[in-house]
Amino acid sequence: MSTPFPFTAVVGQDDLRLALLLNAVSPAVGGVLVRGEKGTAKSTAVRALSALMPEVDVVSGCRFSCDPDSPDPACPDGPHEPGAFASRPARMVELPVGASEDRLVGALDIERALAEGVKAFEPGLLADAHRGILYVDEVNLLHDHLVDLLLDAAAMGASYVEREGVSVRHASKFLLVGTMNPEEGELRPQLLDRFGLTVEVAASREPDQRVEVVRRRLAYDDDPAGFAARWADEEAAVRARIVGARELLPSVRLGDGALRQIAATCAAFEVDGMRADIVMARTATALAAWAGRTEVLAEDVRQAALLALPHRRRRNPFDAPGLDEDKLDETLEEFGGQDGDGPDGGDDPDPGPGGGPGGQPEPDDAPQGDGDAAARPEAGEGGEPQPSGSGAGEQQPARAAEPFRTKVLSVPGLGEGAAGRRSRARTEHGRTTGARRPRGALTKLHLAATVQAAAPHQRARGRSGPGLVVRRDDLRQATREGREGNLVLFVVDASGSMAARQRMSAVKGAVLSLLLDAYQRRDKVGLVTFRGSAADVALPPTSSVDAAAVRLESLPTGGRTPLAAGLLRAHEVLRVERLRDPARRPLMVVVTDGRATGGPEPVALAGRAARLFAAEGTASVVVDCESGPVRLGLAGQLAGELGGTAVTLDELRADSIAGLVRDVQGSSRRAA
């Protein structure tokens, strides 16, 4: 077994180390989520924590790590006789992002269960992690069905495996630790709230500290055992301090004054539910025990708020996590009286800069022209267009309007992509639609089809008792239909014809709304923009919709409309992504007024580019941004050549008059 990097040798990252240590002192805090850029020792610190955890006593021979003082009465290996027990180090179990459901919760031998009535159960990772640490690296990339199982186990302290009437239950209480890089996508709010604490980490910008990081890492790589030995005394001291804090924890007093500060802080920052109050109380108590005190002070409450509240204040994936520390200090001071004292009322807390979420942006004072003619100054001397990234035709980015709930846009047909919530697909979860012979290991038994396949052979197999004689060839896998996530590629027209302030604000608001919808439906997203004389990939396909929102917000406008260039660049992006992930079906969303200018025969060239998508059957929708009393209908013509459909900005809203769910047609349907 390799020697882990010593926890006490990690340079800096004080908040990260403190959050992990508080969970070691009081596992009831609820775990920690570590967010940050790559290469910031997130995984190193988490793996090093396991060496500091005190040993646990377990029932000898129990595969589910039952506590000998209070064994689980429903343990599959029980009932346990009192007496025999063993001590072992607390486990740190890693959950791979690509793990199967059976690997997480355990596997039931369905063939023996049907033929013999025996619950032959092989424990999974949730059983291994009981009374230890469950670590998920890149937790934001975990499949939805695994996230659901984690949520259930974390909420109930137990794992349930149910297959066609045969069920197994075992205790599963663990310290949940996750790491993630926000650039790769955000975490579902339900799982985010399950983490007691969250920490943002970043690499130091101090040269001396960076030098020390490199020096220690090189020394560890050269001689891991020798490096760990040099830090053994510091590790032992921290381990002893954890044990002492655990023993002191039951004696720590959380007074009414501190509890009032906790409640007032959670109310002032408008966090949902009561879990934040409970986590803050447990964290403040653990902080006092870690400091060797038996009384919770205001400084403990403040530190607990900084660790427990930032990730609970996010209302949507585009909100930046964080806490207004000035507002926090004001709240703590206002409610900082003695136990039982404090103000009886008062004005509502200041909502802070910017007020509540959202608000319609104010349009710019100066009116802007609508159409390519307004952007003609982009041409330089001699009529040569300037580069798309700069020039006289470029205008400052417009702010996005308030997002709204959009109609459901889905890809036709039946896919087999990653689980999500957009288009119909064959999935491991969903409603049962049929049965087939299993390909490899059986995961979802179709009981009726299995019995039907085995029934004709019972006499030939010598059946004499009540049990059904089942052979491997009789087993049938259930085929299920659910929903998949797609690749939603946005192709956004940023030319001069789209550059009017209020108009571009509405366009960005619509794209932002579609991005929010993509986040909720577990899609990957990409962003291609075109203006001037070229098209750019503003964001390659990614799971991070908030990264797409940032690129969209800073998108400049102006210049001609190279529609063909935008479509061809989108075609190339989809071609490359199809090689990387052939099972994920694309949905292209073109946001434009349909105009094509610049270069020879721009309209004909755009038509030929559009027909490439129609020939390949790529699902597409055109968001028609044309405005004004006179409309040319160019976006509708483009949708017809793409083999897709067109919707106006108003029709995109779910609450519009035409508020029916609209499937994107990927073949021959033309816009009305």
Side-chain angles (χ1 to χ4, degrees):
M1 182 177 178
S2 60
T3 303
F5 192 91
F7 186 86
T8 51
V10 175
V11 179
Q13 308 296 11
D14 296 338
D15 288 343
L16 169 59
R17 292 190 293 169
L18 177 61
L20 292 172
L21 289 170
L22 291 177
N23 277 276
V25 170
S26 175
V29 166
V32 59
L33 173 66
V34 187
R35 298 165 45 94
E37 58 196 31
K38 51 190 175 291
T40 49
K42 300 188 298 293
S43 300
T44 298
V46 174
R47 293 189 175 98
L49 175 68
S50 60
L52 300 179
M53 298 288 286
E55 291 190 338
V56 295
D57 294 334
V58 298
V59 174
S60 297
C62 177
R63 297 175 296 166
F64 301 88
S65 303
C66 279
D67 187 345
D69 294 332
S70 57
D72 181 8
C75 177
D77 285 354
H80 298 300
E81 298 294 331
F85 71 92
S87 296
R88 62 162 176 77
R91 292 173 179 160
M92 191 192 75
V93 178
E94 294 195 38
L95 173 60
V97 170
S100 66
E101 179 180 335
D102 286 346
R103 184 70 187 99
L104 178 62
V105 301
L108 192 66
D109 191 331
I110 300 175
E111 186 173 351
R112 289 190 63 192
L114 284 174
E116 305 172 29
V118 176
K119 294 181 180 179
F121 181 69
E122 185 66 29
L125 296 178
L126 290 179
D128 293 342
H130 180 45
R131 304 176 66 204
I133 303 172
L134 181 61
Y135 172 48
V136 189
D137 193 13
E138 306 294 354
V139 63
N140 50 323
L141 303 182
L142 199 63
H143 289 178
D144 273 9
H145 67 284
L146 297 183
V147 171
D148 292 335
L149 294 170
L150 273 182
L151 289 176
D152 290 342
M156 297 183 293
S159 174
Y160 293 83
V161 182
E162 307 231 7
R163 298 283 172 86
E164 282 70 35
V166 181
S167 64
V168 174
R169 173 219 171 268
H170 64 83
S172 183
K173 297 180 180 178
F174 46 83
L175 169 59
L176 181 60
V177 181
T179 56
M180 59 174 284
N181 183 348
E183 294 178 355
E184 297 173 336
E186 281 298 339
L187 202 59
R188 282 177 58 182
Q190 294 92 330
L191 185 57
L192 193 63
D193 189 53
R194 293 294 181 186
F195 286 98
L197 310 179
T198 186
V199 177
E200 296 279 343
V201 296
S204 172
R205 298 298 184 257
E206 293 294 330
D208 291 342
Q209 193 172 79
R210 296 175 74 97
V211 166
E212 186 61 24
V213 169
V214 175
R215 181 181 290 120
R216 293 186 187 183
R217 186 69 211 191
L218 293 177
Y220 170 77
D221 290 341
D222 289 341
D223 183 11
F227 183 82
R230 291 196 292 274
W231 290 88
D233 291 343
E234 288 83 351
E235 293 281 286
V238 172
R239 190 178 299 109
R241 188 176 175 185
I242 292 174
V243 173
R246 282 190 171 189
E247 295 173 350
L248 183 62
L249 189 63
S251 304
V252 176
R253 176 177 177 270
L254 180 65
D256 289 343
L259 196 54
R260 186 178 179 83
Q261 285 183 316
I262 290 171
T265 301
C266 292
F269 285 100
E270 300 179 345
V271 296
D272 294 333
M274 295 298 297
R275 184 174 282 117
D277 304 61
I278 296 171
V279 170
M280 274 190 65
R282 290 171 174 166
T283 305
T285 304
L287 280 162
W290 178 249
R293 290 185 270 101
T294 57
E295 187 79 17
V296 173
L297 304 180
E299 62 192 66
D300 300 323
V301 176
R302 186 182 193 278
Q303 183 64 58
L306 292 174
L307 293 172
L309 296 188
H311 62 301
R312 291 185 165 89
R313 297 194 63 243
R314 298 192 65 170
R315 303 297 180 185
N316 64 62
F318 308 135
D319 293 338
L323 214 61
D324 185 340
E325 295 194 32
D326 291 337
K327 180 179 177 180
L328 173 61
D329 291 335
E330 291 173 5
T331 303
L332 294 176
E333 183 178 354
E334 180 182 355
F335 292 88
Q338 298 297 319
D339 287 0
D341 297 333
D344 294 328
D347 295 334
D348 292 336
D350 182 1
Q360 288 290 344
E362 293 295 329
D364 290 359
D365 293 332
Q368 302 292 329
D370 183 10
D372 284 316
R376 292 300 167 83
E378 115 279 2
E381 291 184 7
E384 289 294 324
Q386 298 208 4
S388 62
S390 62
E394 181 174 311
Q395 303 178 23
Q396 291 301 314
R399 293 180 57 192
E402 186 74 9
F404 53 85
R405 190 167 64 91
T406 67
K407 292 180 181 179
V408 180
L409 304 175
S410 60
V411 179
L414 197 62
E416 295 183 346
R421 295 185 177 182
R422 184 172 295 278
S423 305
R424 295 174 54 223
R426 298 183 185 91
T427 61
E428 290 294 320
H429 302 269
R431 64 184 181 90
T432 301
T433 58
R436 60 172 174 80
R437 291 181 181 273
R439 302 166 188 163
L442 178 70
T443 56
K444 297 292 183 182
L445 178 74
H446 194 294
L447 183 59
T450 299
V451 172
Q452 187 177 11
H457 308 291
Q458 296 306 295
R459 180 175 296 179
R461 293 172 182 173
R463 174 186 171 185
S464 58
L468 189 68
V469 182
V470 179
R471 300 285 187 261
R472 174 69 185 173
D473 289 344
D474 301 329
L475 299 179
R476 294 295 182 268
Q477 174 87 23
T479 57
R480 302 193 176 193
E481 182 177 313
R483 294 278 168 177
E484 68 177 358
N486 299 110
L487 167 60
V488 183
L489 181 63
F490 294 94
V491 185
V492 180
D493 184 349
S495 65
S497 64
M498 302 279 289
R501 284 284 183 250
Q502 295 184 22
R503 183 179 182 187
M504 198 61 193
S505 176
V507 168
K508 286 188 176 182
V511 177
L512 203 62
S513 304
L514 291 167
L515 283 172
L516 184 58
D517 181 69
Y519 165 78
Q520 295 168 341
R521 300 186 186 282
R522 315 290 182 262
D523 295 318
K524 291 180 69 175
V525 297
L527 179 62
V528 173
T529 64
F530 57 94
R531 56 182 289 269
S533 59
D536 299 310
V537 180
L539 184 72
T542 176
S543 297
S544 179
V545 295
D546 53 341
V550 171
R551 304 292 173 88
L552 178 72
E553 191 68 30
S554 60
L555 178 66
T557 56
R560 296 186 182 274
T561 311
L563 178 57
L567 294 175
L568 291 173
R569 181 58 62 93
H571 187 270
E572 177 63 17
V573 170
L574 293 181
R575 185 190 69 81
V576 173
E577 194 64 20
R578 194 176 295 116
L579 296 175
R580 293 174 178 167
D581 189 358
R584 187 179 292 269
R585 297 187 295 164
L587 168 62
M588 185 173 68
V589 179
V590 184
V591 185
T592 181
D593 56 10
R595 301 188 185 189
T597 61
E601 300 183 345
V603 176
L605 187 59
R608 288 197 295 271
R611 287 190 287 275
L612 290 175
F613 295 93
E616 295 174 353
T618 301
S620 59
V621 60
V622 178
V623 179
D624 185 357
C625 302
E626 193 174 23
S627 60
V630 179
R631 302 194 178 207
L632 302 179
L634 299 176
Q637 296 176 23
L638 174 64
E641 291 174 320
L642 286 168
T645 189
V647 294
T648 65
L649 289 174
D650 290 337
E651 291 173 342
L652 192 62
R653 293 179 178 269
D655 55 358
S656 67
I657 295 176
L660 301 176
V661 173
R662 179 185 298 217
D663 281 354
V664 180
Q665 301 302 310
S667 54
S668 61
R669 178 176 175 182
R670 298 180 65 87

